[in-house]
């Protein structure tokens, strides 16, 4: 069987305020592949779109880290043999397989010229570069990014909220390579604590160093995401927090081949989000329901021969939204995970590792960003460095 493996990918939610309203722009995605390949295909998504998107042209090429093509020998991106194609609202398409030679460590550049349609579906992910510019530059060997006003607003919002909001990447869902070396993907299934990239990027760097060309790390995390419930209609940025872990498992994980491990990193928002501007108090979950959902998701992944590495939820006692009731739910959930850790193929108790010994329901402040919830760079590095890699060495 052919081994198609994702070398980059993201989960989609509604971009809300962060969307791209204007068309007739070129969107250039630049990634550094962790695995090799002899062919390439691209999956595009308009899952949360409200209008038809028309792609006027697309190319794929090896590039430098700035997205400059290494030569003029690029490949045209086609769907069903057509260089011009469209995605209706809610639709996704997969490109034709392109002959494409890439080695681990190469930069790959995908350029799409959007002829018509606003881009409302994507993610704010921090492991790729997106360059945007007006006009059809899909075949240009070099293009310079043209900042937009929303980028400045996003940066200001990051400072106000005390959390990192990366430049949104619309439309692109995955880049897959036909790999002949039995490489596989490790997929992170999480929320903003993973999405922001401070531990996931450090984890990926460690994987690349210890297992060159053997694994790609795919971050399928969505900010505000919950295990049990879809995004709340109460939140002003409707749809930004995405479908629940239960409801997005098929679209983000199960439909892909080449996944060997899923790192499960959800749960924070189930217990912390209710009773805030993001979700009504009536959306309070029970720890039992969350645990049952974890069991269900684990069984589904195992049925597809995907190994599950479970992460406990970091203590959030320093967060402004925390209270005794929410912390009690967190303790109950983490305790259940520890008691049932034999259910999983790997288990990483990051909560115990990072907790403040003087405040058991809190993560050490030195590991947290300004919002006292999300790990900072030091915290992310600490989490990644202390993860047990025995499971990955066993193959």
């Amino acid at each position: 069987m052919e081994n198609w493996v994702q070398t980059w990918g993201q989960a989609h939610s509604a971009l809300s305020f962060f969307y791209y309203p204007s068309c007739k722009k070129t969107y250039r995605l630049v990634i550094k592949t962790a695995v090799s390949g002899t062919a390439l295909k691209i999956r595009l998504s308009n899952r949360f779109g409200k209008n038809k998107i028309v792609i006027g042209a697309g190319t794929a090429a090896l590039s430098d880290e700035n997205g400059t093509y290494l030569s003029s020998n690029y490949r045209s991106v086609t769907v069903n043999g057509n260089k011009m194609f469209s995605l209706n609202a809610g639709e996704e398409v997969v490109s034709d397989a392109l002959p494409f030679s890439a080695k681990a460590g190469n930069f790959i550049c995908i350029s799409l010229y959007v002829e018509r349609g606003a881009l409302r579906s994507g993610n704010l992910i921090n492991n790729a570069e997106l360059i945007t510019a007006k006009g059809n530059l899909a075949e240009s060997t070099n293009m310079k990014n043209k900042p937009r006003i929303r980028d400045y607003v996003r940066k200001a919002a990051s400072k106000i909220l005390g959390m990192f909001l990366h430049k949104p990447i619309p439309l692109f869902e995955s880049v897959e390579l036909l790999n002949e070396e039995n490489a596989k993907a490790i997929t992170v299934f999480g929320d903003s604590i993973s999405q922001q990239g401070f531990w996931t990027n450090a984890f990926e760097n460690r994987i690349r160093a210890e297992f060159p060309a053997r694994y790609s790390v795919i971050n399928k995390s969505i900010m505000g995401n919950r295990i049990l419930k879809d995004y709340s209609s109460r939140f002003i940025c409707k749809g930004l927090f995405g479908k629940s872990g239960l409801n997005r498992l098929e679209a983000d994980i199960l439909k892909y081949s080449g996944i060997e491990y899923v790192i499960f990193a959800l749960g924070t928002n189930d217990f912390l989000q209710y009773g805030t501007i993001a979700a009504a108090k009536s959306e309070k979950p029970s720890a039992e329901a969350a645990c049952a959902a974890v069991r269900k998701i684990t069984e589904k992944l195992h049925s597809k021969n995907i190994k599950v590495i479970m992460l406990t939820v970091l203590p959030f006692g320093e967060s402004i939204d925390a209270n005794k009731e929410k912390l009690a739910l967190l303790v109950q959930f983490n305790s259940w995970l520890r008691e049932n850790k034999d259910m999983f193929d790997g288990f990483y108790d990051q909560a115990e590792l990072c907790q403040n010994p003087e405040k058991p329901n809190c993560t050490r402040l030195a590991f947290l960003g300004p919002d006292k919830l999300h790990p900072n760079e030091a915290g992310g590095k600490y989490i990644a460095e202390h993860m047990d890699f025995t499971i990955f060495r066993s193959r």
Side-chain angles (χ1 to χ4, degrees), residues 161-164 196 198 318 363-380:
L161 297 173
M163 61 182 290
F164 179 62
Q196 288 191 10
F198 288 120
E318 297 287 1
T363 296
R364 280 181 263 179
L365 282 173
F367 291 162
L368 297 176
D371 66 351
K372 299 183 180 180
L373 173 64
H374 297 88
N376 55 21
E377 188 173 357

Side-chain angles (χ1 to χ4, degrees), residues 10-15 45 48 120-124 168-172:
Q10 64 175 0
H12 271 232
S13 65
L15 287 177
S45 179
F48 294 92
R120 299 177 182 273
S121 188
N123 203 331
L124 284 72
I169 299 176
L171 188 59
F172 297 95

Side-chain angles (χ1 to χ4, degrees), residues 315-318 327 351 354-357 359-364 368:
F316 50 65
E318 297 287 1
L327 289 169
C354 296
Q355 75 176 9
N356 184 338
K359 296 181 178 179
N361 289 328
C362 299
T363 296
R364 280 181 263 179
L368 297 176

Side-chain angles (χ1 to χ4, degrees), residues 46-276:
N46 193 23
R47 192 184 312 168
F48 294 92
K50 298 180 180 180
N51 51 259
K52 183 177 182 178
I53 295 171
V54 177
I55 307 298
T59 59
L62 294 178
S63 72
D64 64 16
E65 61 183 327
N66 299 311
T68 300
Y69 289 6
L70 296 182
S71 74
S72 58
N73 187 25
Y74 57 80
R75 299 286 184 179
S76 293
V77 175
T78 61
V79 173
N80 297 324
N82 299 311
K83 292 184 178 180
M84 188 172 185
F85 53 91
S86 63
L87 295 84
N88 293 319
E91 187 180 17
E92 67 175 40
V93 299
V94 180
S95 75
D96 302 321
L98 313 175
F100 196 92
S101 179
K103 296 180 180 180
N106 286 162
F107 286 92
I108 298 175
C109 196
I110 314 295
S111 303
L112 297 174
Y113 170 58
V114 179
E115 176 71 28
R116 178 161 57 90
L119 305 184
R120 299 177 182 273
S121 188
N123 203 331
L124 284 72
I125 207 75
N126 185 28
N127 59 8
E129 184 65 35
L130 182 72
I131 303 170
T132 62
K134 291 182 179 180
N136 184 357
L137 301 175
E139 297 182 3
S140 174
T141 58
N142 183 31
M143 61 180 277
K144 294 185 178 180
N145 186 64
K146 302 294 184 183
R148 57 184 189 147
I149 294 175
R150 288 169 188 259
D151 289 330
Y152 298 111
V153 175
R154 172 180 51 81
K155 291 177 181 178
S158 293
K159 292 182 179 180
I160 294 171
L161 297 173
M163 61 182 290
F164 179 62
L165 297 173
H166 190 259
K167 181 179 181 179
I169 299 176
L171 188 59
F172 297 95
E173 183 170 315
S174 72
V175 179
E176 300 169 55
L177 289 173
L178 181 59
N179 177 270
E180 297 179 348
E181 300 169 354
N182 197 33
K184 298 295 179 183
I186 302 168
T187 301
V188 180
F189 194 57
D191 50 36
S192 60
I193 289 174
S194 303
Q195 180 217 35
Q196 288 191 10
F198 288 120
W199 82 260
T200 50
N201 290 350
F203 169 78
E204 180 178 9
N205 289 338
R206 189 179 166 199
I207 286 288
R208 286 179 184 245
E210 295 197 28
F211 309 100
R214 193 159 118 187
Y215 293 114
S216 59
V217 176
I218 311 300
N219 194 346
K220 294 293 181 79
S221 301
I222 299 175
M223 69 164 65
N225 201 232
R226 297 182 283 187
I227 304 171
L228 292 169
K229 290 184 178 292
D230 296 346
Y231 63 88
S232 174
S233 59
R234 173 177 178 169
F235 188 41
I236 189 171
C237 294
K238 292 181 175 59
L240 184 65
F241 291 170
K243 296 289 186 180
S244 70
L246 280 170
N247 288 335
R248 69 183 181 94
L249 185 68
E250 176 64 39
D252 291 337
I253 306 290
L254 298 181
K255 75 182 180 188
Y256 287 96
S257 62
I259 299 176
E260 186 167 356
Y261 301 97
V262 164
I263 299 177
F264 191 100
L266 286 169
T268 299
N269 295 297
D270 290 76
F271 307 123
L272 186 60
Q273 199 176 97
Y274 73 91
T276 68

